């Protein structure tokens, strides 16, 4: 289990809480993640080929608010991601971002449909 804060311009950007399957990536047990964040490190060690995301809003609890330097119950964007390599689970991560600093954007296009 790893908990870390991502920083941007000397301000907390995101709180990361991650579980790594040590059967899939045993060298993670001794890695300090001092120079490379866990997500980037994992991609180099064992790239995933399947993932799922769950994206939702939460209110910051006291611990999250303290770490992200926001008020308690402030709106946050939460992304939970699970990854696999073939059938083996690699990692689960929960990323929490201050809600007023992030936007989700998606653009969609249909294929084969005609406009009326």
């Amino acid at each position: 289990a790893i908990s870390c804060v991502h920083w941007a311009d000397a301000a907390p950007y995101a709180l990361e809480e991650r579980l790594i399957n040590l059967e899939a990536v045993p060298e993670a047990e001794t890695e300090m993640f001092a120079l490379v964040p866990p997500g980037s490190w994992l991609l180099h060690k064992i790239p995933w080929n399947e993932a799922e995301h769950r994206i939702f809003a939460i209110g910051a609890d006291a611990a999250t608010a303290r770490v992200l330097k926001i008020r308690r119950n402030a709106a946050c964007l939460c992304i939970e991601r699970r990854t696999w390599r073939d059938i083996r689970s690699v990692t689960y991560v929960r990323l929490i971002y201050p809600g007023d600093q992030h936007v989700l954007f998606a653009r969609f296009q249909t294929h084969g449909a005609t406009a009326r």
Side-chain angles (χ1 to χ4, degrees), residues 15 21 66 75 83 88 94 100 113:
L15 171 60
N21 179 355
R66 189 172 40 258
T83 60
R88 179 178 273 177
R94 177 179 168 107
D100 63 348

Side-chain angles (χ1 to χ4, degrees), residues 15-19 51-58 76-84 91-97 104:
L15 171 60
E16 176 177 342
E17 298 168 334
R18 182 180 294 270
L19 299 174
E52 68 181 21
H53 277 143
R54 193 168 86 110
I55 303 168
F56 54 99
I58 62 170
C76 292
L77 176 68
C78 183
I79 301 174
E80 292 181 336
R81 179 174 51 240
R82 296 178 194 281
T83 60
W84 294 267
T91 189
Y92 160 84
V93 64
R94 177 179 168 107
L95 299 158
I96 302 173
Y97 302 88
L104 288 178

